[in-house]
């Protein structure tokens, strides 16, 4: 089970949960059956997570050790749990976070890769759009879903959402989600423009 925290724009998590419930994905393993053994598009990415200057939180050695051990587990659920804990920046040294995410983004388990994409976005690591673009090409539905959820409301995110909608080879459910997110962003922007 993926542990999800709120996005700063407030649209992400409730939106994906609503979409999953509305389309019947909530009790379904989110993988394309025909491509279960396919290679991830994230295998060639080298990620960078740098510590922010002025970060008030000091890395916690015990917490870091616990997360490193979970991330190295043979159990995918434990690895997902480790990644879900990376939403809080600063409790783990950025170099350790980078190593965990680099390994996780290439994991053979799609739920681990999906949670790695989400953690990557939450950490604000460099080249976020490179990772999200590649994750949107992943063979597994759940990874593409997390990539869509991690997109914000900036111009590059909107461009990626439009690209997904126009992709003739993309699964209809993903295209529908991208369309719904674009509509939600448009409504949110109109509300802000009207001063409401």
């Amino acid at each position: 089970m993926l542990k999800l925290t709120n996005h700063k724009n407030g649209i992400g998590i409730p939106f994906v949960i609503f979409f999953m419930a509305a389309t019947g994905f909530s009790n379904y393993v989110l993988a394309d059956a025909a491509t279960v053994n396919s290679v991830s598009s994230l295998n060639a990415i080298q990620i960078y997570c740098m510590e922010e200057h002025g970060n008030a939180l000091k890395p916690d050695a015990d917490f870091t050790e616990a997360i490193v051990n979970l991330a190295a587990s043979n159990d995918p659920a434990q690895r997902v749990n480790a990644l879900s804990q990376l939403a809080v920046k600063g409790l783990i040294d950025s170099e350790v976070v980078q190593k965990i995410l680099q390994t996780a983004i290439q994991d053979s388990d799609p739920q681990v890769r999906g949670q790695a994409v989400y953690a990557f976005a939450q950490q604000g690591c460099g080249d976020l759009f490179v990772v999200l673009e590649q994750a949107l090409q992943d063979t597994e539905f759940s990874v593409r879903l997390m990539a869509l959820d991690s997109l914000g409301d900036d111009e590059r995110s909107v461009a990626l959402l439009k690209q997904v909608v126009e992709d003739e080879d993309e699964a209809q459910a993903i295209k529908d989600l991208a369309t719904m997110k674009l509509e939600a962003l448009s409504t949110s922007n109109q509300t802000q423009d009207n001063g409401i």
Side-chain angles (χ1 to χ4, degrees):
M1 182 64 155
L2 299 177
K3 180 178 179 183
L4 306 174
T5 58
N6 289 328
H7 283 288
K8 60 184 174 193
N9 65 15
I11 294 174
I13 299 307
F15 182 78
V16 170
I17 292 170
F18 167 77
F19 177 78
M20 290 172 70
T23 57
F25 287 121
S26 59
N27 294 319
Y28 183 76
V29 176
L30 299 176
D32 297 327
T35 58
V36 168
N37 293 321
S38 296
V39 176
S40 166
S41 63
L42 297 168
N43 284 342
I45 294 178
Q46 177 64 45
I47 64 170
Y48 300 97
C49 298
M50 297 300 157
E51 192 169 335
E52 292 179 0
H53 296 292
N55 187 356
L57 297 174
K58 298 288 183 199
D60 180 321
D62 293 335
F63 181 71
T64 299
E65 182 180 353
I67 296 303
V68 168
N69 289 337
L70 283 173
S73 172
N74 290 330
D75 181 1
Q78 295 290 325
R79 297 194 303 273
V80 167
N81 187 20
L83 293 165
S84 71
Q85 302 303 312
L86 296 181
V88 178
K89 294 176 78 170
L91 291 179
I92 300 178
D93 182 73
S94 61
E95 289 180 23
V96 175
V97 169
Q98 181 175 317
K99 288 177 184 177
I100 291 171
L101 290 177
Q102 184 68 54
T103 300
I105 213 161
Q106 299 172 6
D107 200 283
S108 61
D109 187 279
Q111 289 197 350
V112 175
R113 288 198 311 274
Q115 191 67 33
V117 168
Y118 181 76
F120 186 85
Q122 292 301 300
Q123 285 288 323
C125 296
D127 295 328
L128 175 60
F129 285 97
V130 172
V131 172
L132 294 179
E133 283 178 317
Q134 289 302 307
L136 286 169
Q137 301 300 316
D138 198 277
T139 57
E140 298 293 334
F141 183 92
S142 60
V143 178
R144 298 194 309 272
L145 181 65
M146 275 302 197
L148 280 178
D149 181 51
S150 297
L151 291 171
D153 58 0
D154 56 276
E155 289 181 28
R156 290 179 77 180
S157 292
V158 170
L160 281 176
L161 287 167
K162 288 178 180 177
Q163 185 178 353
V164 168
V165 170
E166 296 169 0
D167 185 353
E168 293 178 8
D169 295 329
E170 184 55 83
Q172 189 61 46
I174 293 286
K175 292 171 79 165
D176 290 346
L177 175 60
T179 299
M180 290 171 62
K181 188 159 184 175
L182 280 169
E183 290 170 358
L185 289 172
S186 177
T187 301
S188 176
N189 289 340
Q190 286 176 356
T191 301
Q192 290 175 358
D193 290 344
N194 292 333
I196 298 175

